[in-house]
Amino acid sequence: MDQGLIPRRYAKALYEVGEERSDNERLYGLMQRLSAAFAQTPGMSATVSNPFVSDKDKTSLLTKAVYGSDGATADPTYEDFLRLLEKNRRTSIARDIANAYVDLYRAKHSIYRVHICSAAPLGDAEKKRLEGIISRHIGKGTMEYVYTTDPSLIGGFTVTVNSERLDASVSNELKQLRLSLIK
Amino acid sequence: MINPSEISQVLKQELENINSKVAFEEVGTVLETGDGVAHVYGLDNVGANELVEFENGVKGVAMNLEESNVGVVLLNDVDKVTENMTVRRTGEIASIPVGEGLLGRVINILGEPIDGRGPISGDLIRLPLERKAPGVIYRQPVKQPLQTGIKAIDSMVPIGRGQRELIIGDRQIGKTAIAIDTIINQRKAYEAGKPVYCIYVAIGQKASSIAALVDTLRKNGALDYTVVVAATASESAAMRYFAPFAGVAIGEYFRDTGRDALIVYDDLSKQAVAYREVSLILKRPSGREAYPGDIFYLHSRLLERAAKIIDNQEVASQMNDLPEVLKPVM
């Protein structure tokens, strides 16, 4: 989903600082964890945007969400980032910034997130074959594969890479058939 | 009567075709829709004015390319597009099928007949709605008159071929009547074998007025060389906005096949109103009386497409950048 102008600016600044401190690889992992934490804990978004929760508590929440409770492997750039958010009162858009950063990092490093949705779980051989076809189509770059199942496809699979999609599902074929019969 | 074997034959053919069609295509998702405009997330590489297709076959034109979404103006079945629908790029621009079969017919902007006289016959080629106007070197100076058949006009303010002429005046003083008389008066030229094909574009008029007008044309034998493009008041703003472009595409068909044509836009202020409506829904900034800033460019690029092309075939054939298959035989 698109994050808007402000999160993108923060993400760009964070990426540039990460570049200077050669810290981007770690930051990428942290931002993915932050984004995943928001996705897994539904209450987190509400807490972070709640005006009654102090900025300090929000910051500590965002720290713990990424490091776990011990906070042992602290990353100085991430700490600075949280401090900046706290100072500018932008803690509430941390999730959008994390998503924007992940998108930016992927774009800069030609990492493609490939979402494969199939009607039934795929076997290893099938996965390997699909991955071969997809990497041939995209060419250079690194792929991150995400597998999901959706019985409403009836059969076959869909592959989504950024805004491109290959729809080889039975439900799509039926849809096309219906459209051509209407015409 | 439907023959069951025919259906399974069709099904079989369709299934065979579908299997070969699977390929990567660029898609987006409808975020919100309303008032004939859909905002779409995705479609990263869509071009301005590109035709897009929704999963239920509804067509639209990408008008606004923004950082976060694409504003798509819907062309038909406005109410059938819902949130979360998938949209795909077609790689084409909006176009209309044109050909000799259009003469004597009343069509909408998609080239579909709306006069209840069956499908349009004959060879049809698709010409784009938006196309570059011919440059200076392809034009002849205005030197040949178009006879309107109205003495006052032909003697005092003659109209030349390749020219645009504004008919302006208060309501109910006969602006449409002048246009209709001119069309009817081209009958003599048609009978003499030097036809001036006429295209009448009705924008935002009452359907009953259009029916009356078509009846008048038919009674006077003017429909033999006339095409009526209609976008009635009840049609969506997008349809009314695109109507003159559909008309001019038909005009260009006659122009590019070396024939003369007269096109009447009745009226462009209603198109301007439709464009204002579309622009405001697309959240474009408005200017005076809420008309968008490019309203003059809209009309000038439309009217600039009127041209009398030079006789030199070799130069004239280089005029447009259409693909070879679309180029009419000069």
Side-chain angles (χ1 to χ4, degrees), chain A residues 128-179:
Chain A
K128 208 166 189 183
R129 215 175 131 205
L130 258 180
E131 285 169 11
I133 293 170
I134 292 159
S135 49
R136 259 205 310 283
H137 171 75
I138 295 171
K140 57 183 179 186
T142 326
M143 319 294 159
E144 280 179 11
Y145 293 97
V146 182
Y147 288 92
T148 53
T149 53
D150 179 9
S152 71
L153 293 181
I154 305 173
F157 60 89
T158 65
V159 180
T160 315
V161 191
N162 294 334
S163 68
E164 277 190 75
R165 197 177 65 178
L166 184 141
D167 199 335
S169 66
V170 174
S171 68
N172 181 48
E173 285 184 18
L174 290 174
K175 213 181 278 169
Q176 298 298 331
L177 190 64
R178 186 178 158 269
L179 275 182

Side-chain angles (χ1 to χ4, degrees), chain B residues 178-200:
Chain B
I178 290 177
I180 297 302
D181 283 350
T182 306
I183 292 176
I184 291 170
N185 290 335
Q186 303 309 316
R187 174 90 204 161
K188 278 209 174 116
Y190 177 71
E191 282 166 351
K194 287 181 187 166
V196 174
Y197 293 97
C198 300
I199 302 132
Y200 182 84

Side-chain angles (χ1 to χ4, degrees), chain A residues 2 10-11 17 23 26 46 48 66 76 82 123 126 143 147 181:
Chain A
D2 192 74
Y10 274 89
V17 170
D23 203 14
R26 265 165 67 96
V48 165
V66 167
L82 289 185
E126 286 160 327
M143 319 294 159
Y147 288 92
L181 286 176

Side-chain angles (χ1 to χ4, degrees), chain A residues 11-66:
Chain A
K12 198 176 160 205
L14 182 63
Y15 184 85
E16 278 165 14
V17 170
E19 198 90 301
E20 281 165 20
R21 300 184 185 174
S22 25
D23 203 14
N24 265 331
E25 217 161 303
R26 265 165 67 96
L27 276 175
Y28 178 56
L30 291 175
M31 288 298 154
Q32 274 184 313
R33 273 161 74 175
L34 184 62
S35 178
F38 271 104
Q40 284 156 13
T41 326
M44 206 162 134
S45 286
T47 313
V48 165
S49 52
N50 189 338
F52 290 103
V53 180
S54 73
D55 283 343
K56 214 164 205 141
D57 289 342
K58 286 179 189 172
T59 309
S60 94
L61 174 72
L62 291 179
T63 317
K64 280 180 184 161
V66 167

Side-chain angles (χ1 to χ4, degrees), chain B:
Chain B
M1 214 31 207
I2 298 169
N3 185 345
S5 72
E6 268 176 17
I7 290 185
S8 47
Q9 198 58 37
V10 170
L11 287 172
K12 197 180 153 210
Q13 273 177 9
E14 290 299 332
L15 279 172
E16 278 164 3
N17 287 338
I18 284 165
N19 283 337
S20 61
K21 263 189 229 162
V22 173
F24 270 98
E25 50 188 23
E26 210 171 319
V27 294
T29 315
V30 177
L31 291 174
E32 57 170 333
T33 173
D35 302 317
V37 168
H39 291 277
V40 176
Y41 174 73
L43 295 176
D44 290 344
N45 299 313
V46 73
N49 282 323
E50 186 174 328
L51 195 71
V52 294
E53 193 176 3
F54 292 81
E55 63 179 55
N56 58 355
V58 175
K59 298 259 169 70
V61 176
M63 293 264 290
N64 254 26
L65 308 181
E66 289 169 50
E67 221 174 346
S68 58
N69 67 70
V70 178
V72 175
V73 173
L74 307 176
L75 290 181
N76 54 341
D77 294 331
V78 170
D79 49 338
K80 284 187 186 157
V81 173
T82 56
E83 207 180 295
N84 261 337
M85 254 188 188
T86 308
V87 198
R88 67 175 187 88
R89 279 181 65 184
T90 60
E92 295 166 7
I93 55 170
S95 59
I96 179 174
V98 295
E100 306 299 320
L102 291 180
L103 291 169
R105 304 302 298 268
V106 185
I107 57 165
N108 65 10
I109 65 141
L110 299 168
E112 293 161 350
I114 51 171
D115 51 4
R117 291 173 175 242
I120 287 164
S121 55
D123 285 343
L124 297 172
I125 56 165
R126 295 200 78 92
L127 283 183
L129 295 184
E130 286 272 7
R131 196 167 143 197
K132 221 170 77 181
V136 179
I137 57 164
Y138 303 114
R139 289 172 188 263
Q140 281 185 33
V142 178
K143 56 187 181 188
Q144 186 186 0
L146 174 100
Q147 303 293 348
T148 64
I150 301 165
K151 274 193 191 119
I153 294 174
D154 288 341
S155 56
M156 290 189 288
V157 277
I159 300 169
R161 297 189 184 190
Q163 187 195 322
R164 309 78 70 84
E165 186 64 56
L166 173 71
I167 309 176
I168 195 167
D170 281 336
R171 64 202 143 89
Q172 287 295 316
I173 58 163
K175 298 189 293 295
T176 304
I178 290 177
I180 297 302
D181 283 350
T182 306
I183 292 176
I184 291 170
N185 290 335
Q186 303 309 316
R187 174 90 204 161
K188 278 209 174 116
Y190 177 71
E191 282 166 351
K194 287 181 187 166
V196 174
Y197 293 97
C198 300
I199 302 132
Y200 182 84
V201 186
I203 311 152
Q205 297 188 28
K206 285 184 291 184
S208 63
S209 309
I210 298 170
L213 184 141
V214 171
D215 196 46
T216 311
L217 291 178
R218 183 169 290 126
K219 273 185 193 150
N220 290 284
L223 265 192
D224 298 338
Y225 51 87
T226 303
V227 186
V228 178
V229 181
T232 60
S234 65
E235 274 173 288
S236 69
M239 294 281 243
R240 280 176 281 142
Y241 161 60
F242 280 116
F245 291 100
V248 80
I250 299 168
E252 279 172 338
Y253 168 73
F254 291 117
R255 184 195 72 191
D256 292 351
T257 46
R259 292 172 289 176
D260 290 323
L262 162 72
I263 180 159
V264 179
Y265 305 110
D266 196 0
D267 62 306
L268 282 185
S269 59
K270 289 217 181 71
Q271 192 224 6
V273 169
Y275 186 53
R276 171 169 68 181
E277 203 175 317
V278 171
S279 293
L280 289 175
I281 297 165
L282 286 169
K283 295 174 188 159
R284 288 184 182 175
S286 57
R288 188 173 165 163
E289 287 176 29
Y291 284 106
D294 61 340
I295 190 80
F296 297 113
Y297 176 54
L298 170 81
H299 284 163
S300 61
R301 75 170 187 261
L302 173 77
L303 297 174
E304 266 300 282
R305 286 162 74 175
K308 187 157 173 63
I309 301 299
I310 50 170
D311 291 327
N312 187 337
Q313 293 290 310
E314 213 173 302
V315 179
S317 63
Q318 297 165 7
M319 185 176 67
N320 57 55
D321 43 4
L322 292 177
E324 205 56 45
V325 281
L326 281 181
K327 266 184 198 165
V329 186
M330 296 286 286

